[in-house]
Amino acid sequence: GAGTTSSLNNIAAGSYCVLIDDGNECTLDTTIVLTSNSNLSVDAINNGNNVLVASSNQPGTTYQWYYNGQPIAGATDSVYEPTQSGVYYVIGTTADGCVDQSLYFEISVVDGIEEEILDELHIHPNPATDQLFVIGELRSGKKLAVEIYAATGQLVYAKEYNSLSGNVIIPVYQYSEGMYLVKLAIDNNVRLEKIVIER
């Protein structure tokens, strides 16, 4: 929008056209470029008790926590205590709109006999190239959910298996090289394992 003032505050970064008029029919038309100096950096840590704590190098940063790639309703404080196993991260935003994301965190809560079943499942090869195998046995009536997350926290694969006797074959040839997180879940019990895709 246009303005006719001698000064402006709190405007967004970008390119602006400025017209200066001294009132005596002398004018100057120029373009200026404004850049943000926020240089926002958001970090987060797990304090060892599955409590996540976010911090920022900019005062007034607001936070939004994410679970498995989705925003968590009401989770906007700098501290968040996960209630479910999965992948968590936080996004911070400054007043002038700068955004930064923390690294992701693997939170795992397992108990009971399903933990033993998950421990007996084998994921190979690691590193993987074109295919990934999950080997093991499921109890009757149980379902195995397999999810794969990129290092950014993005969910790239999700499938549920009603039976498992031998190999589950997961194609990974379409994914870029790098670090990934495999999530295996039976009911509310979760096992997380890092893998590498390389060629």
Side-chain angles (χ1 to χ4, degrees), residues 87-89 101-106 148-156 175-182 194-197:
V87 179
Y88 291 83
Y89 61 91
Q101 176 186 317
S102 73
L103 297 176
Y104 68 82
F105 290 86
E106 312 156 18
I148 301 178
Y149 294 85
T152 60
Q154 178 187 4
L155 177 65
V156 297
Y175 304 138
S176 302
E177 292 184 307
M179 182 79 71
Y180 290 80
L181 180 69
V182 178
K194 290 180 180 179
I195 66 162
V196 174
I197 295 177

Side-chain angles (χ1 to χ4, degrees), residues 27-97:
T27 61
L28 174 64
D29 190 350
T30 188
T31 299
I32 62 172
V33 177
L34 299 181
T35 59
S36 170
N37 61 356
S38 283
N39 195 24
L40 175 64
S41 177
V42 172
D43 295 308
I45 62 169
N46 184 338
N47 72 356
N49 296 311
N50 278 353
V51 176
L52 304 178
V53 182
S55 61
S56 165
N57 65 343
Q58 297 294 326
T61 299
T62 58
Y63 300 102
Q64 174 63 62
W65 290 94
Y66 286 74
Y67 167 69
N68 288 348
Q70 299 298 318
I72 305 168
T76 56
D77 294 330
S78 60
V79 177
Y80 182 73
E81 185 172 357
T83 58
Q84 302 178 74
S85 298
V87 179
Y88 291 83
Y89 61 91
V90 66
I91 290 180
T93 306
T94 62
D96 60 359

Side-chain angles (χ1 to χ4, degrees), residues 73-159:
T76 56
D77 294 330
S78 60
V79 177
Y80 182 73
E81 185 172 357
T83 58
Q84 302 178 74
S85 298
V87 179
Y88 291 83
Y89 61 91
V90 66
I91 290 180
T93 306
T94 62
D96 60 359
C98 287
V99 176
D100 191 38
Q101 176 186 317
S102 73
L103 297 176
Y104 68 82
F105 290 86
E106 312 156 18
I107 302 298
S108 180
V109 179
V110 294
D111 55 20
I113 195 165
E114 307 306 344
E115 177 180 2
E116 297 178 11
I117 297 174
L118 286 170
D119 286 343
E120 292 172 358
L121 297 179
H122 300 284
I123 302 173
H124 81 96
N126 190 10
T129 54
D130 297 326
Q131 292 180 325
L132 191 66
F133 298 90
V134 180
I135 301 176
E137 300 284 340
L138 276 181
R139 290 178 176 270
S140 177
K142 293 297 182 180
K143 296 180 180 181
L144 173 68
V146 180
E147 296 177 353
I148 301 178
Y149 294 85
T152 60
Q154 178 187 4
L155 177 65
V156 297
Y157 180 89
K159 189 172 181 179

